[in-house]
Amino acid sequence: MGGMKPVVKQAASVEARPVERGEKAFIQVLIGPEDGAPHFILRKFTLLPGGRIPKHRHPTLEHEQYVLSGRMKVTLGEEVREVAAGQAVFIPAGTPHAYVNEGEEPVEFLCIIPKTSGYATEWLEG
């Protein structure tokens, strides 16, 4: 394993931080560089009822997501899709995207991104 050590964590033990420019939106980095992960970062997002993350894009970073619970509207480019627990979403690099929870239950989803030297976010709305 080349000096890397396996890691097992309880998600509840990881701090949930507010998402930049989000409303009622929180992020937890479940597995990342500080855990010795060399290639990917595993994040968990929570959108409370009425929560949102405004439209933005990452010019060089793709996202792979899996909805754990709830349902939300996801803007992907010019299209708005409703996604729910059990569905996976792929967002190619450079694709504008946004999230809105219009329901009465929290939404939780995993988001896996490649580990890169920089994580640029271009905000397209407030």
Side-chain angles (χ1 to χ4, degrees), residues 17-27 45-56 58 97-101 109 121 123-126:
R17 299 184 325 264
V19 173
E20 180 185 359
R21 298 196 189 187
E23 298 172 21
K24 299 180 183 179
F26 301 91
I27 182 175
F45 285 83
T46 302
L47 287 178
L48 299 177
R52 66 186 288 270
I53 301 173
K55 189 182 282 188
H56 61 287
H58 310 282
H97 54 287
Y99 308 86
V100 178
N101 179 1
F109 64 96
T121 301
W123 293 98
L124 304 172
E125 64 182 22

Side-chain angles (χ1 to χ4, degrees), residues 53-95:
I53 301 173
K55 189 182 282 188
H56 61 287
R57 68 178 168 199
H58 310 282
T60 60
L61 204 66
E62 70 182 54
H63 291 46
E64 295 176 2
Q65 302 176 337
Y66 180 76
V67 183
L68 297 166
S69 64
R71 43 186 340 106
M72 65 180 164
K73 290 186 178 174
V74 180
T75 301
L76 300 166
E78 298 301 316
E79 182 179 8
V80 177
R81 301 281 304 266
E82 187 166 300
V83 297
Q87 291 185 295
V89 178
F90 172 65
I91 304 173
T95 302

Side-chain angles (χ1 to χ4, degrees), residues 27-42:
I27 182 175
Q28 295 169 280
V29 177
L30 299 180
I31 300 289
E34 65 280 354
D35 300 301
H39 303 293
F40 298 97
I41 300 171
L42 173 61

